[in-house]
Amino acid sequence: MAHDVDELKFQATPEKGDVSALVIRPKGATHLLVLGHGASTTMRHATLQTIAERLAEVGVATLRYNFPYSEHGKGRDSQAVCTATIRAAVATARKLAPRLPLLAGGHSFGGRMTSTAAAESPLEGVRGLVFFSFPLHPAGKPGTERADHLDSVDLPLLFLSGTRDDLAEMDLLQPVCERLKPRATLHVLEAADHGYKVLKRERKSPEDVFVEMARVVHDWASNLG
């Protein structure tokens, strides 16, 4: 189902200037999720768009945005620029929908930068973080160092990760989430890879993986304090 999308711009940082954002706000929305994109994509990538559309169907509004480097087609921004952009996106979301509970996160890099920002200092108004394929390690280089900063994030955390994700081997991600309990919730997506492509012969559930994620996000968010 197609949803109306509003386009806007906000200032990422004084030095980097404005970046673009896309807002989907379904009627009767219960939450607003500030949603960052993956490292080599933009807010218009098909994966992020599908996530946003399925979330709208369960009443979760989204604000997708570009980092300055993806807005202007240049090399990757510094971590400081990325986290400042996230703070600006959260502030923009608060102004747009001051009565909606806020969530923040993103797909892969966008989610990791959001938790990095939250580890540095609280994201004002954000009640929980949602990770669509948290990139625990580079492909082929298993490790858990990228999750160390999560110990400093004092928010509920939802991980949506596929069993075929080569950037988050399940035997490494599960212990990380166990360590972070009760703040962390891991929802395992059967037969899905990092971009949520599914091997149909390995997936027993008839539910579409994006529909599954939206349902889980809605239910999780509804139980937050």
Side-chain angles (χ1 to χ4, degrees), residues 20-31:
S20 301
L22 300 171
V23 178
I24 299 179
R25 185 173 179 177
K27 185 177 181 180
T30 59
H31 296 79

Side-chain angles (χ1 to χ4, degrees), residues 3-8 10 20-37 43-45 47-66 89-90 92-94 96-97 100-107 130 132 160 210 213-214 217-218 221:
H3 295 277
D4 292 337
V5 181
D6 293 324
E7 300 194 24
L8 57 89
F10 64 87
S20 301
L22 300 171
V23 178
I24 299 179
R25 185 173 179 177
K27 185 177 181 180
T30 59
H31 296 79
L32 173 56
L33 170 59
V34 180
L35 190 60
H37 61 74
M43 65 177 183
R44 298 184 186 276
H45 190 270
T47 297
L48 211 64
Q49 178 178 329
T50 304
I51 288 171
E53 289 176 348
R54 296 297 84 77
L55 286 169
E57 289 171 1
V58 297
V60 178
T62 52
L63 184 149
R64 290 177 278 159
Y65 60 93
N66 280 335
V90 168
T92 300
R94 286 203 317 272
L96 283 174
L100 282 183
L102 277 186
L103 309 170
H107 181 241
V130 183
F132 296 90
L160 299 150
F210 290 95
M213 287 193 291
V217 170
H218 175 269

Side-chain angles (χ1 to χ4, degrees), residues 163-184:
T163 57
R164 297 174 50 243
D165 189 340
D166 60 2
L167 275 69
E169 293 185 8
M170 198 56 64
D171 61 352
L172 295 177
L173 183 60
Q174 285 176 328
V176 166
C177 293
E178 286 292 325
R179 187 187 85 226
L180 294 169
K181 280 187 173 180
R183 289 181 293 119

Side-chain angles (χ1 to χ4, degrees), residues 75-90:
R76 183 85 58 84
D77 296 314
S78 67
Q79 178 174 297
V81 168
C82 290
T83 56
T85 302
I86 290 163
R87 293 187 187 284
V90 168

Side-chain angles (χ1 to χ4, degrees), residues 60-199:
V60 178
T62 52
L63 184 149
R64 290 177 278 159
Y65 60 93
N66 280 335
F67 290 105
Y69 76 90
S70 57
E71 179 81 9
H72 303 299
K74 298 182 178 180
R76 183 85 58 84
D77 296 314
S78 67
Q79 178 174 297
V81 168
C82 290
T83 56
T85 302
I86 290 163
R87 293 187 187 284
V90 168
T92 300
R94 286 203 317 272
K95 292 177 183 177
L96 283 174
R99 296 184 180 180
L100 282 183
L102 277 186
L103 309 170
H107 181 241
S108 193
F109 175 81
R112 183 165 69 92
M113 285 297 99
T114 301
S115 57
T116 299
E120 293 170 350
S121 61
L123 297 172
E124 186 176 349
V126 172
R127 299 190 182 187
L129 303 186
V130 183
F131 303 114
F132 296 90
S133 296
F134 185 86
L136 186 61
H137 53 76
K141 297 180 180 180
T144 62
E145 293 82 4
R146 286 182 175 180
D148 289 348
H149 70 281
L150 295 175
D151 292 306
S152 300
V153 180
D154 189 22
L155 286 171
L157 311 170
L158 175 62
F159 295 79
L160 299 150
S161 194
T163 57
R164 297 174 50 243
D165 189 340
D166 60 2
L167 275 69
E169 293 185 8
M170 198 56 64
D171 61 352
L172 295 177
L173 183 60
Q174 285 176 328
V176 166
C177 293
E178 286 292 325
R179 187 187 85 226
L180 294 169
K181 280 187 173 180
R183 289 181 293 119
T185 299
L186 171 62
H187 182 82
V188 178
L189 298 156
E190 185 183 49
D193 68 7
H194 191 70
Y196 301 119
K197 292 185 175 66
V198 171
L199 279 182

